[in-house]
Amino acid sequence: MMDKNFDTARSKLNRVVVCVAPVSFLLLTVMFAACRATAPLTEPGTTLTDAGASRATRALFYNLKRLAPDYLLFGHQDDLAYGVTWKREDKRSDVHDVVGAYPAVYGWEIGHLEIGAPANLDTVDFRDMQRWIKEGYKRGGVITISWHMNNPVSGGSSWDTTRAVYSIIPGGRNHAMYRQWLDRFADFVGGLKTGPFSWLGLGKPVPIIFRPFHEHTGSWFWWGRDLVTPEEYVALWRFTVEYLRDEKGLHNLLYAYSTDRFDSEDEYLEHYPGDDYVDLLGCDDYGALRTDAGVADMTRQLRILVEMAESRGKIAALTETGLERIPFPTWWTDRLLRAIESDSTARRISYALVWRNARASHHYAPHPGHVSAENFKRFYEHPFVLFEDGLPKLYR
C-alpha cells in the first residue's frame, strides 16, 4: 500500500548527504568511502550523548528532528506481541487490523531482564521481542525501550517504594549488582543486529531510543521524586549512560529523559542530568485527555516541553499517553490530535505513543469493531500523522 505522505516527507529530508556519481566502480567506491568519512550528520547547536553513535543512530536523531515541525509519528506499546483477542500471531497488530498499517514507533519493555528471566514482566519472551524489534526496524519503524526494573534493595517490583537508588550508584552496596543488570541489557541490545552476518554477531545494530527511570516526577516507582534526591538521580543516570556507552561500547542508543505530568520548567528539570546525557525530552500523561477540559492542559505542557527541547537541540516527544478502553468515540481527533496539532509549538513534538492492548479491560489502541475504530481511521488519514507506511527512510 503506497503511503499518503511518503513523497512529502521525503522531500523534507533532502538535506541528508547522499553521494552518487555515474563513474566506474572503483571511483564510486572511493567516493563513497570519502563521503562516509567526511560528511558526518551534524547541525549547529546540537550534540548527541554519544559522540561515537552509529551513523544509523545519528540519522534517526536528525531525521526525527527534521520531521517534527510538520509530522507526528504514532506509536504503540507491544504492538506486535499481542492484542485484545490474540497473542503471538505472526505479523499481526491491532493497529494494522484497523487501518492497514503498523505504527511508526514501537514501544517495548524489558522489566525482569535484570533478574535473568526468559520473559518480561508482561510475559513477552525476550527472544520473541528481539525478533519483533528487528522486524519493525527492517520495515523502517522506530524502536523505543523502557525498563521497569525490580527494586534492588527489597527485590520487589518497580512499584515497591523502598528507597534504593542510593544503593546502586557508585559507592553503593548494590552497585556491583546494578552493573550486572546493565551487562544483561548490553547483551540483549547486542542481539539486536541486522544484516547478512547478524547471526555471527557482525550485523549492524538497531538504533534504540532508551528511556530508563521514567515518570520520576511521581513517587510510585522506587526511583521517584520522594524516594531519591536530585543528586542521586543524576548520579544514577550519568553512570548508566557512561557505563553503557564507554564500558560496554553501545553506540546505538539515544537517551530519553521522561517525566510524568509537570507544571513548570523548573519542576521538569529538577532531576535533569544535563544536556550531555540526554537526547530526547519526553513526558508521560494519562490524565489530561480523559476530558475535553484537559486538552488545553496537555497543549500547555507540550508547549513547555518543545521549548525546552529545542533550546537544547533535542527532540521532544509524548512518550506515553492514552485513555484506557477509549470509551470516547472521537478521542483520537477531538482530544489527542487537537491537543497537539492545533498549537504551533506543541505540534513540534516528534511522536506520541499509546500504551498496550493487553485485554478487553486494558487497552489503549482500537481493534476491529471498537467504538473508536472509525475515528482512528480519520486520525490515520490526517496529513499531520505518520504511521509506518508514511515514513521516509529514517536511518539514512
Side-chain angles (χ1 to χ4, degrees), residues 89-145:
E89 294 187 21
D90 190 41
K91 302 292 190 294
R92 186 145 186 210
S93 152
D94 278 352
V95 167
H96 193 282
D97 284 353
V98 174
V99 299
Y102 294 104
V105 181
Y106 297 93
W108 297 101
E109 164 60 41
I110 59 168
H112 288 183
L113 183 73
E114 70 279 3
I115 61 175
N120 78 354
L121 75 173
D122 295 318
T123 72
V124 179
D125 184 278
F126 285 119
R127 292 169 299 181
D128 286 338
M129 188 185 300
Q130 287 180 318
R131 174 169 54 84
W132 288 322
I133 286 173
K134 288 186 279 189
E135 284 180 8
Y137 167 69
K138 288 177 182 178
R139 287 194 300 262
V142 179
I143 310 300
T144 178
I145 289 178

Side-chain angles (χ1 to χ4, degrees), residues 26-73:
L26 178 61
L27 182 58
L28 180 61
T29 302
V30 172
M31 291 180 66
F32 179 68
C35 173
R36 293 187 63 181
T38 62
L41 291 166
T42 58
E43 285 186 353
T46 299
T47 57
L48 293 181
T49 295
D50 185 358
S54 71
R55 187 169 182 83
T57 304
R58 286 180 287 143
L60 174 64
F61 175 86
Y62 291 116
N63 288 333
L64 288 178
K65 197 164 181 286
R66 290 165 178 164
L67 282 174
D70 301 301
Y71 298 99
L72 173 75
L73 277 62

Side-chain angles (χ1 to χ4, degrees), residues 125 147 198 242 296 318 350:
D125 184 278
W147 194 353
S198 57
E242 290 169 356
L318 182 54
S350 177

Side-chain angles (χ1 to χ4, degrees), residues 106-288:
Y106 297 93
W108 297 101
E109 164 60 41
I110 59 168
H112 288 183
L113 183 73
E114 70 279 3
I115 61 175
N120 78 354
L121 75 173
D122 295 318
T123 72
V124 179
D125 184 278
F126 285 119
R127 292 169 299 181
D128 286 338
M129 188 185 300
Q130 287 180 318
R131 174 169 54 84
W132 288 322
I133 286 173
K134 288 186 279 189
E135 284 180 8
Y137 167 69
K138 288 177 182 178
R139 287 194 300 262
V142 179
I143 310 300
T144 178
I145 289 178
S146 57
W147 194 353
H148 290 79
M149 304 177 194
N150 277 4
N151 188 302
V153 170
S154 68
S157 72
S158 291
W159 292 266
D160 182 328
T161 54
T162 303
R163 280 183 53 84
V165 170
Y166 74 93
S167 78
I168 61 173
I169 58 179
R173 70 176 187 269
N174 292 320
H175 181 62
M177 180 176 69
Y178 182 58
R179 291 169 69 101
Q180 291 177 344
W181 290 7
L182 294 180
D183 290 343
R184 287 174 178 151
F185 173 78
D187 290 342
F188 177 83
V189 172
L192 297 174
K193 293 181 179 177
T194 62
F197 300 105
S198 57
W199 59 281
L200 292 174
L202 301 176
K204 295 181 179 180
V206 174
I208 302 292
I209 298 174
F210 181 41
R211 189 172 62 99
F213 310 118
H214 67 299
E215 297 181 6
H216 59 276
T217 46
S219 297
W220 41 86
F221 298 134
W222 53 262
W223 56 82
R225 170 185 282 164
D226 295 341
L227 308 160
V228 62
T229 67
E231 293 76 18
E232 289 169 342
Y233 187 92
V234 168
L236 176 60
W237 187 282
R238 290 184 176 182
F239 170 77
T240 301
V241 170
E242 290 169 356
Y243 187 76
L244 295 176
R245 181 191 63 197
D246 305 332
E247 296 294 324
K248 304 306 293 184
L250 296 183
H251 299 297
N252 57 323
L253 301 180
L254 298 174
Y255 294 87
Y257 173 85
S258 176
T259 69
D260 194 59
R261 298 180 68 178
F262 62 96
D263 292 323
S264 67
E265 182 172 340
D266 287 344
E267 181 183 11
Y268 185 88
L269 296 174
E270 184 179 12
H271 293 72
Y272 187 63
D275 293 346
D276 291 340
Y277 291 86
V278 172
D279 301 300
L280 183 150
L281 273 60
C283 69
D284 298 358
D285 191 342
Y286 289 95

